[in-house]
Amino acid sequence: MGSFFSKQVQRRKAIRTQKKLLHNLKEKDCTISLAMGTRIDIRVQEDGRVCHGILVSYKVDVVINDVKKFLSETQSEIILLEIRTEFGHEDPPEFDKYLEDQLGEFLIHQDDYVFNKTVAELLPKRVICVWKPRKSPQPKHGSPLWSAGYLKDNWIDTDLPETKFESNMKHLSEQPP
């Protein structure tokens, strides 16, 4: 029993440490990522709050508003926005409809031929939004949202952000340059 208790204490300490490290994640992180041209990867839980494992922060509206603000301040940047339901959580109800309502005018519909077009041919549509629900139906071909089949990932199912980070670094190191 002492060994089990020791492991629980170690896990709680690891979680507490990771919470402290990630506590300062605020709205500005999305804006910085957009400006740097990176893919935005958001995890949500059933109440529509952004989360990562056990860490819960602001409503996803903050991210969507940042995306819309960025789009209003730029003219031809394309955003790859990946939103998924976090491991261990339920899909937010009707979340696909929420995304379509919020980003509809900017969404590039799911279409294999998109990747053969120039940015000029896609404009004014500028967001490829991949919605990866856990239990809700995946977006269908031709939908304003893209299905999980278009992005390959190697995420592991765990609630410890550091474990996910280490796994991602391992998979990235195995990729060809």
Side-chain angles (χ1 to χ4, degrees):
M1 174 146 167
S3 173
F4 176 75
F5 180 73
S6 175
K7 287 181 182 177
Q8 276 188 323
V9 170
Q10 288 174 344
R11 180 171 166 80
R12 286 185 184 149
K13 284 181 182 178
I15 290 170
R16 200 172 309 124
T17 301
Q18 290 175 24
K19 277 185 173 181
K20 286 179 185 176
L21 290 172
L22 298 173
H23 179 70
N24 292 327
L25 290 177
K26 300 290 182 212
E27 298 87 8
K28 65 181 177 185
D29 292 329
C30 178
T31 305
I32 291 169
S33 293
L34 285 166
M36 292 174 55
T38 60
R39 181 181 95 195
I40 306 296
D41 177 11
I42 304 297
R43 283 90 190 301
V44 293
Q45 60 183 26
E46 46 279 335
D47 65 358
R49 295 179 72 79
V50 173
C51 61
H52 196 103
I54 58 169
L55 305 173
V56 179
S57 61
Y58 41 84
K59 296 285 278 181
V60 73
D61 297 344
V62 172
V63 175
I64 299 300
N65 289 336
D66 280 350
V67 167
K68 290 197 279 190
K69 181 176 185 244
F70 179 79
L71 291 168
S72 74
E73 294 171 350
T74 60
Q75 294 181 3
S76 59
E77 283 76 4
I78 302 291
I79 297 173
L80 180 53
L81 176 64
E82 179 187 357
I83 302 181
R84 69 173 71 204
T85 303
E86 179 61 291
F87 170 72
H89 291 277
E90 297 295 318
D91 300 327
E94 310 243 338
F95 197 68
D96 54 344
K97 289 177 182 43
Y98 165 79
L99 292 170
E100 289 176 31
D101 288 344
Q102 292 297 312
L103 298 170
E105 67 184 289
F106 301 108
L107 292 174
I108 298 170
H109 289 224
Q110 187 175 160
D111 174 10
D112 293 333
Y113 298 107
V114 162
F115 304 108
N116 296 324
K117 295 181 180 179
T118 66
V119 171
E121 291 173 304
L122 295 174
L123 294 174
K125 308 290 187 183
R126 298 171 47 206
V127 177
I128 294 175
C129 183
V130 179
W131 166 228
K132 295 183 176 185
R134 293 189 65 75
K135 295 182 181 172
S136 300
Q138 292 284 323
K140 294 184 177 11
H141 187 76
S143 163
L145 303 175
W146 291 63
S147 66
Y150 285 92
L151 282 181
K152 181 182 177 195
D153 64 35
N154 294 310
W155 286 108
I156 60 170
D157 290 332
T158 178
D159 61 353
L160 292 174
E162 186 175 11
T163 303
K164 285 184 181 182
F165 177 78
E166 289 170 359
S167 172
N168 288 337
M169 294 305 289
K170 177 185 174 284
H171 288 294
L172 286 171
S173 71
E174 295 168 354
Q175 300 298 315

